[in-house]
């Protein structure tokens, strides 16, 4: 139980902290599961794009590699299933 709690604090808690502090996301503004799901998808997408931008600026990925990764993710997740 303590190991799971420790793993959670290392994996997911920093993400929620970043979303709340840096992203300014405090509450859902859309009603219903569909609206909240779409809003959460946008929050997560923004977070992921910021990470990719940081990696690109640090020289870890080329622009072509980033485009390929984005294309790969988009081909696996149809837009009608995102929201």
């Amino acid at each position: 139980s303590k190991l799971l709690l420790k793993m959670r604090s290392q994996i997911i808690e920093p993400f929620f902290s970043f979303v709340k502090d840096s992203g300014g996301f405090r509450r859902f503004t859309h009603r219903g599961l569909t609206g909240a799901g779409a809003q959460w998808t946008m929050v997560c997408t923004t977070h992921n794009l910021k990470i990719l931008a940081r990696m690109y600026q640090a020289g870890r990925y080329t622009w072509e590699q980033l485009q390929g990764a984005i294309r790969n993710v988009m081909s696996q997740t149809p837009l009608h299933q995102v929201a």
Side-chain angles (χ1 to χ4, degrees):
S1 143
K2 288 185 179 185
L3 178 62
L4 289 175
L5 187 60
K6 183 178 180 181
M7 288 174 54
R8 178 186 171 184
S9 68
Q10 294 173 353
I11 296 171
I12 197 69
E13 294 299 331
F15 168 74
F16 286 130
S17 173
F18 178 82
V19 167
K20 287 177 72 176
D21 294 339
S22 300
F25 183 78
R26 297 286 179 187
R27 68 177 79 186
F28 292 101
T29 56
H30 291 79
R31 291 183 175 190
L33 288 176
T34 304
Q39 192 172 3
W40 184 247
T41 299
M42 290 299 296
V43 168
C44 294
T45 301
T46 303
H47 175 73
N48 290 335
L49 287 173
K50 286 180 181 180
I51 290 173
L52 290 174
R54 246 185 277 130
M55 289 179 170
Y56 174 73
Q57 289 174 343
R60 291 178 62 188
Y61 291 101
T62 65
W63 180 244
E64 290 77 22
Q65 289 173 319
L66 290 177
Q67 286 178 321
I70 291 170
R71 253 188 251 109
N72 186 26
V73 169
M74 293 303 290
S75 68
Q76 293 176 9
T77 309
L79 292 177
H80 68 278
Q81 291 181 358
V82 171

